[in-house]
Amino acid sequence: MSQLVLFAIDICAVVLLVFGLYFPRHRRRDLVVAYLGVNIGVLAVASALSTSNTGAGIGLGMALFGVLSIIRLRSTELDQHEVAYYFSALALGLLGALSTSSLWLNGGLMGLIVVVMFLGDNKKLFRHYRHQVLVLDSAIPDHVALVAHLEQLLNARVHSVTVQRLDMVNETTIVDVRYALTERAGTAANTAPAHSGARR
């Protein structure tokens, strides 16, 4: 009976994680299927393995899922927050399948995962900080001048700049920049300037 309760808690937790947190915030439909599939798949296989008396079987199953997760993450481009949701869904499935002496322990850990994702992925957390790759329409070899140019361009305080490519012939500079918006910029500077190519 306690196992069925854990199954129900896991389903509620992953539904809240995917449909209550991830999709409303990021709107990537394909990963909804991935997160649900990983969670239910891990829940089913780990539950089946936990009934076996062979401890090596459980270890092998978990190692297999770890390898499959690595392959999945390397086969497509995922942002770091998407990786976090991916492993959260996996962890929820494991907690829902593995029996412990305390039902509340597993349920509490599942709730902790959801709460941490709610807080960690909240857009109000470090909301002024940004990360972009910019293509500048001028070649700027001097680092100090580059930082000053970026701060004026973005109306922000630049914390880190990495030059990915400096083209003196075509007069372009590709930079990876991490910065914080100034109070004057507010939330109006969520996108890059029109003459710069950028991705977050």
PDB file of all heavy atoms in Angstrom, residues 33-68:
ATOM      1  N   VAL A  33       7.530  15.850 -23.007  1.00  0.00           N
ATOM      2  CA  VAL A  33       7.476  14.411 -23.245  1.00  0.00           C
ATOM      3  C   VAL A  33       8.694  13.719 -22.654  1.00  0.00           C
ATOM      4  O   VAL A  33       8.596  12.641 -22.053  1.00  0.00           O
ATOM      5  CB  VAL A  33       7.377  14.134 -24.758  1.00  0.00           C
ATOM      6  CG1 VAL A  33       7.332  12.643 -25.034  1.00  0.00           C
ATOM      7  CG2 VAL A  33       6.155  14.815 -25.353  1.00  0.00           C
ATOM      8  N   ALA A  34       9.866  14.336 -22.815  1.00  0.00           N
ATOM      9  CA  ALA A  34      11.104  13.733 -22.308  1.00  0.00           C
ATOM     10  C   ALA A  34      11.071  13.609 -20.789  1.00  0.00           C
ATOM     11  O   ALA A  34      11.417  12.556 -20.235  1.00  0.00           O
ATOM     12  CB  ALA A  34      12.304  14.571 -22.750  1.00  0.00           C
ATOM     13  N   TYR A  35      10.662  14.658 -20.099  1.00  0.00           N
ATOM     14  CA  TYR A  35      10.643  14.631 -18.643  1.00  0.00           C
ATOM     15  C   TYR A  35       9.643  13.608 -18.111  1.00  0.00           C
ATOM     16  O   TYR A  35       9.945  12.856 -17.172  1.00  0.00           O
ATOM     17  CB  TYR A  35      10.316  16.012 -18.079  1.00  0.00           C
ATOM     18  CG  TYR A  35      11.347  17.060 -18.403  1.00  0.00           C
ATOM     19  CD1 TYR A  35      10.992  18.389 -18.609  1.00  0.00           C
ATOM     20  CD2 TYR A  35      12.690  16.735 -18.509  1.00  0.00           C
ATOM     21  CE1 TYR A  35      11.939  19.354 -18.901  1.00  0.00           C
ATOM     22  CE2 TYR A  35      13.640  17.685 -18.808  1.00  0.00           C
ATOM     23  CZ  TYR A  35      13.258  18.998 -19.007  1.00  0.00           C
ATOM     24  OH  TYR A  35      14.201  19.943 -19.300  1.00  0.00           O
ATOM     25  N   LEU A  36       8.454  13.579 -18.707  1.00  0.00           N
ATOM     26  CA  LEU A  36       7.449  12.614 -18.274  1.00  0.00           C
ATOM     27  C   LEU A  36       7.901  11.184 -18.555  1.00  0.00           C
ATOM     28  O   LEU A  36       7.739  10.280 -17.729  1.00  0.00           O
ATOM     29  CB  LEU A  36       6.111  12.900 -18.967  1.00  0.00           C
ATOM     30  CG  LEU A  36       5.412  14.211 -18.593  1.00  0.00           C
ATOM     31  CD1 LEU A  36       4.165  14.392 -19.430  1.00  0.00           C
ATOM     32  CD2 LEU A  36       5.076  14.243 -17.104  1.00  0.00           C
ATOM     33  N   GLY A  37       8.472  10.970 -19.751  1.00  0.00           N
ATOM     34  CA  GLY A  37       8.936   9.635 -20.115  1.00  0.00           C
ATOM     35  C   GLY A  37      10.056   9.142 -19.223  1.00  0.00           C
ATOM     36  O   GLY A  37      10.075   7.975 -18.807  1.00  0.00           O
ATOM     37  N   VAL A  38      11.015  10.019 -18.920  1.00  0.00           N
ATOM     38  CA  VAL A  38      12.120   9.642 -18.038  1.00  0.00           C
ATOM     39  C   VAL A  38      11.592   9.286 -16.654  1.00  0.00           C
ATOM     40  O   VAL A  38      11.988   8.280 -16.056  1.00  0.00           O
ATOM     41  CB  VAL A  38      13.146  10.788 -17.952  1.00  0.00           C
ATOM     42  CG1 VAL A  38      14.080  10.588 -16.764  1.00  0.00           C
ATOM     43  CG2 VAL A  38      13.964  10.846 -19.225  1.00  0.00           C
ATOM     44  N   ASN A  39      10.710  10.110 -16.131  1.00  0.00           N
ATOM     45  CA  ASN A  39      10.196   9.870 -14.781  1.00  0.00           C
ATOM     46  C   ASN A  39       9.454   8.545 -14.685  1.00  0.00           C
ATOM     47  O   ASN A  39       9.737   7.720 -13.814  1.00  0.00           O
ATOM     48  CB  ASN A  39       9.279  11.023 -14.373  1.00  0.00           C
ATOM     49  CG  ASN A  39       8.659  10.809 -13.000  1.00  0.00           C
ATOM     50  OD1 ASN A  39       7.553  10.296 -12.879  1.00  0.00           O
ATOM     51  ND2 ASN A  39       9.373  11.197 -11.966  1.00  0.00           N
ATOM     52  N   ILE A  40       8.502   8.329 -15.580  1.00  0.00           N
ATOM     53  CA  ILE A  40       7.699   7.114 -15.517  1.00  0.00           C
ATOM     54  C   ILE A  40       8.545   5.894 -15.869  1.00  0.00           C
ATOM     55  O   ILE A  40       8.377   4.820 -15.289  1.00  0.00           O
ATOM     56  CB  ILE A  40       6.483   7.222 -16.458  1.00  0.00           C
ATOM     57  CG1 ILE A  40       5.597   8.418 -16.040  1.00  0.00           C
ATOM     58  CG2 ILE A  40       5.670   5.932 -16.422  1.00  0.00           C
ATOM     59  CD1 ILE A  40       5.111   8.349 -14.609  1.00  0.00           C
ATOM     60  N   GLY A  41       9.476   6.055 -16.803  1.00  0.00           N
ATOM     61  CA  GLY A  41      10.349   4.942 -17.163  1.00  0.00           C
ATOM     62  C   GLY A  41      11.223   4.508 -16.004  1.00  0.00           C
ATOM     63  O   GLY A  41      11.355   3.316 -15.711  1.00  0.00           O
ATOM     64  N   VAL A  42      11.835   5.470 -15.334  1.00  0.00           N
ATOM     65  CA  VAL A  42      12.668   5.157 -14.172  1.00  0.00           C
ATOM     66  C   VAL A  42      11.818   4.560 -13.060  1.00  0.00           C
ATOM     67  O   VAL A  42      12.228   3.595 -12.391  1.00  0.00           O
ATOM     68  CB  VAL A  42      13.403   6.425 -13.683  1.00  0.00           C
ATOM     69  CG1 VAL A  42      14.053   6.189 -12.329  1.00  0.00           C
ATOM     70  CG2 VAL A  42      14.456   6.843 -14.692  1.00  0.00           C
ATOM     71  N   LEU A  43      10.633   5.114 -12.850  1.00  0.00           N
ATOM     72  CA  LEU A  43       9.737   4.598 -11.812  1.00  0.00           C
ATOM     73  C   LEU A  43       9.389   3.136 -12.066  1.00  0.00           C
ATOM     74  O   LEU A  43       9.445   2.301 -11.159  1.00  0.00           O
ATOM     75  CB  LEU A  43       8.459   5.446 -11.776  1.00  0.00           C
ATOM     76  CG  LEU A  43       7.392   5.029 -10.755  1.00  0.00           C
ATOM     77  CD1 LEU A  43       7.886   5.292  -9.348  1.00  0.00           C
ATOM     78  CD2 LEU A  43       6.084   5.762 -11.016  1.00  0.00           C
ATOM     79  N   ALA A  44       9.062   2.815 -13.317  1.00  0.00           N
ATOM     80  CA  ALA A  44       8.652   1.449 -13.654  1.00  0.00           C
ATOM     81  C   ALA A  44       9.806   0.459 -13.519  1.00  0.00           C
ATOM     82  O   ALA A  44       9.673  -0.599 -12.888  1.00  0.00           O
ATOM     83  CB  ALA A  44       8.080   1.416 -15.069  1.00  0.00           C
ATOM     84  N   VAL A  45      10.955   0.796 -14.102  1.00  0.00           N
ATOM     85  CA  VAL A  45      12.082  -0.138 -14.094  1.00  0.00           C
ATOM     86  C   VAL A  45      12.660  -0.298 -12.694  1.00  0.00           C
ATOM     87  O   VAL A  45      12.969  -1.406 -12.247  1.00  0.00           O
ATOM     88  CB  VAL A  45      13.164   0.325 -15.092  1.00  0.00           C
ATOM     89  CG1 VAL A  45      14.385  -0.577 -15.002  1.00  0.00           C
ATOM     90  CG2 VAL A  45      12.614   0.319 -16.506  1.00  0.00           C
ATOM     91  N   ALA A  46      12.817   0.817 -11.984  1.00  0.00           N
ATOM     92  CA  ALA A  46      13.366   0.733 -10.627  1.00  0.00           C
ATOM     93  C   ALA A  46      12.437  -0.031  -9.696  1.00  0.00           C
ATOM     94  O   ALA A  46      12.891  -0.753  -8.806  1.00  0.00           O
ATOM     95  CB  ALA A  46      13.625   2.137 -10.087  1.00  0.00           C
ATOM     96  N   SER A  47      11.129   0.099  -9.900  1.00  0.00           N
ATOM     97  CA  SER A  47      10.175  -0.657  -9.081  1.00  0.00           C
ATOM     98  C   SER A  47      10.296  -2.142  -9.347  1.00  0.00           C
ATOM     99  O   SER A  47      10.270  -2.960  -8.416  1.00  0.00           O
ATOM    100  CB  SER A  47       8.741  -0.197  -9.376  1.00  0.00           C
ATOM    101  OG  SER A  47       8.569   1.151  -9.039  1.00  0.00           O
ATOM    102  N   ALA A  48      10.439  -2.500 -10.625  1.00  0.00           N
ATOM    103  CA  ALA A  48      10.584  -3.905 -10.979  1.00  0.00           C
ATOM    104  C   ALA A  48      11.887  -4.473 -10.422  1.00  0.00           C
ATOM    105  O   ALA A  48      11.925  -5.603  -9.908  1.00  0.00           O
ATOM    106  CB  ALA A  48      10.528  -4.072 -12.491  1.00  0.00           C
ATOM    107  N   LEU A  49      12.963  -3.709 -10.501  1.00  0.00           N
ATOM    108  CA  LEU A  49      14.256  -4.188 -10.014  1.00  0.00           C
ATOM    109  C   LEU A  49      14.310  -4.269  -8.494  1.00  0.00           C
ATOM    110  O   LEU A  49      15.028  -5.096  -7.936  1.00  0.00           O
ATOM    111  CB  LEU A  49      15.377  -3.275 -10.520  1.00  0.00           C
ATOM    112  CG  LEU A  49      15.679  -3.351 -12.023  1.00  0.00           C
ATOM    113  CD1 LEU A  49      16.714  -2.310 -12.399  1.00  0.00           C
ATOM    114  CD2 LEU A  49      16.161  -4.737 -12.410  1.00  0.00           C
ATOM    115  N   SER A  50      13.562  -3.381  -7.824  1.00  0.00           N
ATOM    116  CA  SER A  50      13.610  -3.367  -6.360  1.00  0.00           C
ATOM    117  C   SER A  50      12.970  -4.606  -5.756  1.00  0.00           C
ATOM    118  O   SER A  50      13.235  -4.943  -4.596  1.00  0.00           O
ATOM    119  CB  SER A  50      12.912  -2.112  -5.823  1.00  0.00           C
ATOM    120  OG  SER A  50      11.528  -2.144  -6.134  1.00  0.00           O
ATOM    121  N   THR A  51      12.113  -5.288  -6.513  1.00  0.00           N
ATOM    122  CA  THR A  51      11.496  -6.512  -6.010  1.00  0.00           C
ATOM    123  C   THR A  51      12.418  -7.713  -6.121  1.00  0.00           C
ATOM    124  O   THR A  51      12.154  -8.770  -5.553  1.00  0.00           O
ATOM    125  CB  THR A  51      10.196  -6.815  -6.778  1.00  0.00           C
ATOM    126  OG1 THR A  51      10.500  -6.984  -8.173  1.00  0.00           O
ATOM    127  CG2 THR A  51       9.203  -5.670  -6.621  1.00  0.00           C
ATOM    128  N   SER A  52      13.521  -7.550  -6.872  1.00  0.00           N
ATOM    129  CA  SER A  52      14.474  -8.639  -7.037  1.00  0.00           C
ATOM    130  C   SER A  52      15.402  -8.720  -5.830  1.00  0.00           C
ATOM    131  O   SER A  52      15.702  -7.726  -5.184  1.00  0.00           O
ATOM    132  CB  SER A  52      15.294  -8.427  -8.315  1.00  0.00           C
ATOM    133  OG  SER A  52      16.337  -9.376  -8.399  1.00  0.00           O
ATOM    134  N   ASN A  53      15.870  -9.907  -5.549  1.00  0.00           N
ATOM    135  CA  ASN A  53      16.808 -10.099  -4.445  1.00  0.00           C
ATOM    136  C   ASN A  53      18.245  -9.816  -4.845  1.00  0.00           C
ATOM    137  O   ASN A  53      19.143  -9.874  -4.014  1.00  0.00           O
ATOM    138  CB  ASN A  53      16.698 -11.537  -3.917  1.00  0.00           C
ATOM    139  CG  ASN A  53      15.357 -11.816  -3.274  1.00  0.00           C
ATOM    140  OD1 ASN A  53      14.762 -10.921  -2.676  1.00  0.00           O
ATOM    141  ND2 ASN A  53      14.877 -13.051  -3.416  1.00  0.00           N
ATOM    142  N   THR A  54      18.452  -9.545  -6.115  1.00  0.00           N
ATOM    143  CA  THR A  54      19.798  -9.306  -6.618  1.00  0.00           C
ATOM    144  C   THR A  54      20.110  -7.827  -6.561  1.00  0.00           C
ATOM    145  O   THR A  54      19.573  -7.039  -7.335  1.00  0.00           O
ATOM    146  CB  THR A  54      19.948  -9.811  -8.062  1.00  0.00           C
ATOM    147  OG1 THR A  54      19.526 -11.171  -8.112  1.00  0.00           O
ATOM    148  CG2 THR A  54      21.378  -9.697  -8.531  1.00  0.00           C
ATOM    149  N   GLY A  55      20.961  -7.435  -5.641  1.00  0.00           N
ATOM    150  CA  GLY A  55      21.320  -6.028  -5.519  1.00  0.00           C
ATOM    151  C   GLY A  55      22.072  -5.531  -6.721  1.00  0.00           C
ATOM    152  O   GLY A  55      21.971  -4.365  -7.092  1.00  0.00           O
ATOM    153  N   ALA A  56      22.834  -6.417  -7.360  1.00  0.00           N
ATOM    154  CA  ALA A  56      23.590  -6.021  -8.546  1.00  0.00           C
ATOM    155  C   ALA A  56      22.664  -5.622  -9.676  1.00  0.00           C
ATOM    156  O   ALA A  56      23.001  -4.772 -10.504  1.00  0.00           O
ATOM    157  CB  ALA A  56      24.498  -7.161  -8.994  1.00  0.00           C
ATOM    158  N   GLY A  57      21.484  -6.245  -9.707  1.00  0.00           N
ATOM    159  CA  GLY A  57      20.526  -5.895 -10.758  1.00  0.00           C
ATOM    160  C   GLY A  57      20.060  -4.463 -10.652  1.00  0.00           C
ATOM    161  O   GLY A  57      19.931  -3.757 -11.656  1.00  0.00           O
ATOM    162  N   ILE A  58      19.824  -4.017  -9.414  1.00  0.00           N
ATOM    163  CA  ILE A  58      19.418  -2.623  -9.211  1.00  0.00           C
ATOM    164  C   ILE A  58      20.552  -1.676  -9.607  1.00  0.00           C
ATOM    165  O   ILE A  58      20.327  -0.678 -10.279  1.00  0.00           O
ATOM    166  CB  ILE A  58      19.024  -2.395  -7.738  1.00  0.00           C
ATOM    167  CG1 ILE A  58      17.821  -3.270  -7.383  1.00  0.00           C
ATOM    168  CG2 ILE A  58      18.700  -0.932  -7.483  1.00  0.00           C
ATOM    169  CD1 ILE A  58      17.389  -3.157  -5.941  1.00  0.00           C
ATOM    170  N   GLY A  59      21.768  -2.007  -9.193  1.00  0.00           N
ATOM    171  CA  GLY A  59      22.909  -1.161  -9.544  1.00  0.00           C
ATOM    172  C   GLY A  59      23.116  -1.083 -11.043  1.00  0.00           C
ATOM    173  O   GLY A  59      23.394  -0.016 -11.584  1.00  0.00           O
ATOM    174  N   LEU A  60      22.954  -2.240 -11.718  1.00  0.00           N
ATOM    175  CA  LEU A  60      23.113  -2.255 -13.167  1.00  0.00           C
ATOM    176  C   LEU A  60      22.037  -1.420 -13.844  1.00  0.00           C
ATOM    177  O   LEU A  60      22.304  -0.693 -14.803  1.00  0.00           O
ATOM    178  CB  LEU A  60      23.056  -3.699 -13.676  1.00  0.00           C
ATOM    179  CG  LEU A  60      23.194  -3.891 -15.188  1.00  0.00           C
ATOM    180  CD1 LEU A  60      24.544  -3.369 -15.669  1.00  0.00           C
ATOM    181  CD2 LEU A  60      23.013  -5.359 -15.553  1.00  0.00           C
ATOM    182  N   GLY A  61      20.824  -1.517 -13.318  1.00  0.00           N
ATOM    183  CA  GLY A  61      19.734  -0.735 -13.902  1.00  0.00           C
ATOM    184  C   GLY A  61      19.961   0.751 -13.760  1.00  0.00           C
ATOM    185  O   GLY A  61      19.753   1.526 -14.706  1.00  0.00           O
ATOM    186  N   MET A  62      20.433   1.171 -12.579  1.00  0.00           N
ATOM    187  CA  MET A  62      20.694   2.585 -12.357  1.00  0.00           C
ATOM    188  C   MET A  62      21.853   3.075 -13.227  1.00  0.00           C
ATOM    189  O   MET A  62      21.830   4.183 -13.765  1.00  0.00           O
ATOM    190  CB  MET A  62      21.008   2.846 -10.883  1.00  0.00           C
ATOM    191  CG  MET A  62      19.847   2.557  -9.930  1.00  0.00           C
ATOM    192  SD  MET A  62      18.322   3.438 -10.360  1.00  0.00           S
ATOM    193  CE  MET A  62      17.388   2.153 -11.198  1.00  0.00           C
ATOM    194  N   ALA A  63      22.883   2.233 -13.379  1.00  0.00           N
ATOM    195  CA  ALA A  63      24.005   2.606 -14.244  1.00  0.00           C
ATOM    196  C   ALA A  63      23.549   2.748 -15.684  1.00  0.00           C
ATOM    197  O   ALA A  63      23.983   3.649 -16.402  1.00  0.00           O
ATOM    198  CB  ALA A  63      25.109   1.562 -14.138  1.00  0.00           C
ATOM    199  N   LEU A  64      22.642   1.856 -16.113  1.00  0.00           N
ATOM    200  CA  LEU A  64      22.130   1.922 -17.483  1.00  0.00           C
ATOM    201  C   LEU A  64      21.391   3.227 -17.713  1.00  0.00           C
ATOM    202  O   LEU A  64      21.579   3.889 -18.742  1.00  0.00           O
ATOM    203  CB  LEU A  64      21.204   0.729 -17.728  1.00  0.00           C
ATOM    204  CG  LEU A  64      20.509   0.694 -19.098  1.00  0.00           C
ATOM    205  CD1 LEU A  64      21.541   0.634 -20.220  1.00  0.00           C
ATOM    206  CD2 LEU A  64      19.556  -0.494 -19.175  1.00  0.00           C
ATOM    207  N   PHE A  65      20.563   3.603 -16.752  1.00  0.00           N
ATOM    208  CA  PHE A  65      19.840   4.858 -16.905  1.00  0.00           C
ATOM    209  C   PHE A  65      20.781   6.055 -16.888  1.00  0.00           C
ATOM    210  O   PHE A  65      20.551   7.049 -17.565  1.00  0.00           O
ATOM    211  CB  PHE A  65      18.773   5.008 -15.812  1.00  0.00           C
ATOM    212  CG  PHE A  65      17.473   4.366 -16.166  1.00  0.00           C
ATOM    213  CD1 PHE A  65      17.086   3.180 -15.568  1.00  0.00           C
ATOM    214  CD2 PHE A  65      16.634   4.926 -17.116  1.00  0.00           C
ATOM    215  CE1 PHE A  65      15.888   2.568 -15.899  1.00  0.00           C
ATOM    216  CE2 PHE A  65      15.436   4.330 -17.455  1.00  0.00           C
ATOM    217  CZ  PHE A  65      15.059   3.150 -16.844  1.00  0.00           C
ATOM    218  N   GLY A  66      21.864   5.966 -16.115  1.00  0.00           N
ATOM    219  CA  GLY A  66      22.847   7.047 -16.122  1.00  0.00           C
ATOM    220  C   GLY A  66      23.510   7.200 -17.470  1.00  0.00           C
ATOM    221  O   GLY A  66      23.673   8.314 -17.981  1.00  0.00           O
ATOM    222  N   VAL A  67      23.863   6.069 -18.076  1.00  0.00           N
ATOM    223  CA  VAL A  67      24.494   6.107 -19.405  1.00  0.00           C
ATOM    224  C   VAL A  67      23.523   6.658 -20.441  1.00  0.00           C
ATOM    225  O   VAL A  67      23.885   7.496 -21.277  1.00  0.00           O
ATOM    226  CB  VAL A  67      24.980   4.703 -19.801  1.00  0.00           C
ATOM    227  CG1 VAL A  67      25.450   4.697 -21.246  1.00  0.00           C
ATOM    228  CG2 VAL A  67      26.110   4.255 -18.889  1.00  0.00           C
ATOM    229  N   LEU A  68      22.287   6.189 -20.389  1.00  0.00           N
ATOM    230  CA  LEU A  68      21.288   6.673 -21.346  1.00  0.00           C
ATOM    231  C   LEU A  68      21.048   8.170 -21.180  1.00  0.00           C
ATOM    232  O   LEU A  68      20.834   8.891 -22.161  1.00  0.00           O
ATOM    233  CB  LEU A  68      19.974   5.904 -21.169  1.00  0.00           C
ATOM    234  CG  LEU A  68      19.997   4.428 -21.577  1.00  0.00           C
ATOM    235  CD1 LEU A  68      18.661   3.768 -21.266  1.00  0.00           C
ATOM    236  CD2 LEU A  68      20.313   4.286 -23.064  1.00  0.00           C
TER     237      LEU A  68
END
